[in-house]
């Protein structure tokens, strides 16, 4: 029987358009030089995450061989592998992530680098349960690099970005909880407006909430990232044309962020993490937290300062530490990062 001729998937050479077409970036081990060239151009290759403020974090944590640590947010394992290097083969590192898809890939990658269960324990857990990660063990150092990884943001199937069309999901763990699309259908107008303003300080929260409800009343659906960004655009149609484009982009960023915070209960889990943190640190143990928006930073700052006043921490960051201009140039995703640290009394 004659074989049906299948055309090859069209691939735009140096400018692949969709995430799936970026097969070189998605196989960095095979295409090392191409991936390096993308990083040099200040971009994050698809399927990868560039760790932020590595040197500043290592300065704070002062990791020594033989110590026991905890990386609350494994992600691509960039910080994890740097911390493992500091351990020099002695001691142990625990790491958690809620994302089943990416953490399995990271486990395999780190194992291929020689970091097996003898030195690294990876658990699929929420960092809100940090007291259950290694019961009975107290840590010399703890790192939390909050938020989402580049792999999660860039994959349109996860629905974290309005730049590409995809399902409006936004769950860090796509096997649990409700999607952002379901959440939008559950909320009434006032609740949605309050959520946008509390989670992201969205200045047009009321108008966006009103436009979402209007769209539902007209029988419209908001199931995809592009459908939601179209509604945000409609809500801001009152703005003068020359201001609109930038304003829509910013409001979309804040709206997606607010929804992500909501569906993943990000403030609640961060609060639980900060409350339990002193209880899992050894005396003299060090903690570092990277945040990416003012809501997160406010919580960390308040918790660290209060524990300092109560004598639970002997020292905390008086001022927030920011990435260098050089790092922000090399990796624009570092721009909004703030680092805070604390040392257990
Ligand atoms: C910014 S990335 C971490 C990147 C990582 N430091 C690296 O160098 O590759 C944040 C990661 O934390 C995970 N995460 C976010 N909230 C979490 C939570 N409450 N518990 C566990 N993991 C969480 C996300 O799934 C994501 O993989």
């Amino acid at each position: 029987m004659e074989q049906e001729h299948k055309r090859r998937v069209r691939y735009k050479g140096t400018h692949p358009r969709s995430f799936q077409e970026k097969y070189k970036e998605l196989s960095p081990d095979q295409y090392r030089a191409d991936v390096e060239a993308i990083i040099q151009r200040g971009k994050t290759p698809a399927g990868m995450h560039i760790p932020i403020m590595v040197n500043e974090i290592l300065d704070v944590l002062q990791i020594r061989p033989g110590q026991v640590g905890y990386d609350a947010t494994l992600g691509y394992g960039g910080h994890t592998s740097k911390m493992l290097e500091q351990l020099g083969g002695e001691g142990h590192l625990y790491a958690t992530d809620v994302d089943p898809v990416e953490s399995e890939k990271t486990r395999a990658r780190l194992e291929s680098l020689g970091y097996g269960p003898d030195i690294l324990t990876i658990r699929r857990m929420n960092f809100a349960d940090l007291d259950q990660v290694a019961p009975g063990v107290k840590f010399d150092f703890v790192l939390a690099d909050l938020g989402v990884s580049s792999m999660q943001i860039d994959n349109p199937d996860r629905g974290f970005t309005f730049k590409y069309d995809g399902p409006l999901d936004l769950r860090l763990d796509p096997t649990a909880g409700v999607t952002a699309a379901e959440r939008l259908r559950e909320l009434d107008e006032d609740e949605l407006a309050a959520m946008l303003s509390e989670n992201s300080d969205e200045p047009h929260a009321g108008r966006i909430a009103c436009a979402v409800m209007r769209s539902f009343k007209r029988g419209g659906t908001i199931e995809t990232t592009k459908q939601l960004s179209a509604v945000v655009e409609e809500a801001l149609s009152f703005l003068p044309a020359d201001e609109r484009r930038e304003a829509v982009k910013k409001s979309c960023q804040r709206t997606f962020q607010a929804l992500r915070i909501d569906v993943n209960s990000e403030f609640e889990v961060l609060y639980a993490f900060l409350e339990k943190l002193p209880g899992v640190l050894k005396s003299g143990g060090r903690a570092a937290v990277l945040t990416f928006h003012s809501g997160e930073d406010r919580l960390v700052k308040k918790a660290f300062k209060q524990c300092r006043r109560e004598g639970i921490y002997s020292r905390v960051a008086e001022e927030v530490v920011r990435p260098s201009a050089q790092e922000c140039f090399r990796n624009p995703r570092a721009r909004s990062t703030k680092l805070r640290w604390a040392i257990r009394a």
Side-chain angles (χ1 to χ4, degrees):
M1 201 172 78
E2 202 178 313
Q3 282 260 306
E4 191 194 342
H5 176 71
K6 278 208 180 128
R7 291 187 61 170
R8 262 196 308 151
V9 180
R10 197 160 129 264
Y11 171 57
K12 287 266 176 209
T14 53
H15 300 293
R17 280 193 196 168
S18 75
F19 181 79
Q20 285 80 5
E21 276 181 345
K22 298 182 179 179
Y23 68 88
K24 290 188 177 177
E25 295 171 48
L26 291 167
S27 310
D29 294 338
Q30 258 174 289
Y31 299 98
R32 206 170 287 274
D34 298 85
V35 166
E36 195 45 46
I38 291 167
I39 296 173
Q40 289 306 323
R41 290 203 298 272
K43 297 226 153 60
T44 301
M48 214 180 200
H49 180 93
I50 300 173
I52 295 174
M53 298 186 80
V54 172
N55 292 335
E56 292 85 346
I57 289 169
L58 294 180
D59 270 357
V60 164
L61 297 181
Q62 298 191 4
I63 302 169
R64 290 189 303 278
Q67 288 190 328
V68 181
Y70 169 46
D71 183 351
T73 49
L74 173 72
Y76 191 75
H79 289 114
T80 314
S81 57
K82 294 290 176 193
M83 293 193 282
L84 283 163
E85 275 173 24
Q86 302 295 306
L87 286 181
E90 293 169 47
H92 204 86
L93 188 62
Y94 293 83
T96 54
D97 204 298
V98 280
D99 184 329
V101 184
E102 295 300 337
S103 52
E104 266 321 297
K105 292 187 204 161
T106 301
R107 179 200 301 277
R109 194 179 320 108
L110 291 174
E111 211 158 325
S112 75
L113 294 174
Y115 298 124
D118 52 320
I119 189 97
L120 173 66
T121 301
I122 296 177
R123 297 201 198 290
R124 193 180 139 201
M125 276 175 71
N126 197 304
F127 60 56
D129 301 320
L130 75 167
D131 50 341
Q132 303 302 315
V133 171
V137 174
K138 300 246 180 196
F139 301 115
D140 295 287
F141 60 93
V142 172
L143 169 69
D145 173 17
L146 302 178
V148 268
S149 68
S150 297
M151 298 87 75
Q152 292 164 330
I153 298 174
D154 293 339
N155 185 348
D157 295 342
R158 306 291 300 266
F160 283 103
T161 178
F162 53 93
K163 285 194 199 146
Y164 309 108
D165 205 10
L168 189 63
D169 190 322
L170 287 148
R171 287 171 299 169
L172 294 168
D173 175 0
T175 65
V178 298
T179 67
E182 288 168 309
R183 191 75 183 114
L184 271 185
R185 289 197 298 273
E186 280 174 11
L187 296 169
D188 67 27
E189 187 171 331
D190 289 344
E191 287 168 336
L192 178 55
M195 187 254 268
L196 293 173
S197 119
E198 278 163 29
N199 288 359
S200 299
D201 302 319
E202 171 53 50
H204 305 296
R207 285 179 190 269
I208 294 170
C210 176
V212 166
M213 297 305 147
R214 201 164 49 233
S215 166
F216 285 144
K217 273 187 207 134
R218 284 197 305 245
T221 52
I222 307 178
E223 294 292 328
T224 69
T225 52
K226 287 286 179 200
Q227 283 171 339
L228 178 57
S229 57
V231 172
V232 173
E233 196 169 350
E234 186 197 309
L236 269 58
S237 57
F238 73 96
L239 288 172
D242 57 335
E243 286 174 28
R244 204 179 305 146
R245 209 171 142 199
E246 198 48 30
V248 167
K249 189 174 144 202
K250 294 224 164 92
S251 283
C252 278
Q253 278 165 350
R254 288 186 292 255
T255 302
F256 275 68
Q257 176 184 296
L259 273 169
R260 194 199 82 208
I261 291 172
D262 185 85
V263 296
N264 297 295
S265 307
E266 291 185 25
F267 288 141
E268 291 84 346
V269 296
L270 177 57
Y271 189 80
F273 173 87
L274 292 166
E275 203 172 54
K276 292 177 184 173
L277 181 60
V280 301
L281 282 168
K282 276 184 193 164
S283 172
R286 292 164 171 257
V289 182
L290 290 187
T291 64
F292 293 87
H293 56 86
S294 52
E296 280 176 345
D297 183 56
R298 271 196 295 268
L299 268 186
V300 178
K301 178 178 171 184
K302 208 169 145 210
F304 280 5
K305 293 214 162 163
Q306 186 174 335
C307 286
R308 170 76 190 98
R309 276 196 299 276
E310 291 171 11
I312 295 169
Y313 291 130
S314 60
R315 282 174 62 205
V316 300
E318 285 307 322
E319 295 297 330
V320 78
V321 187
R322 305 295 305 256
S324 67
Q326 245 180 341
E327 175 165 9
C328 296
F329 179 73
R330 272 200 327 267
N331 178 14
R333 289 184 178 180
R335 279 189 300 228
S336 55
T337 318
K338 290 179 179 166
L339 165 65
R340 289 192 183 270
W341 53 265
I343 303 175
R344 183 77 169 96

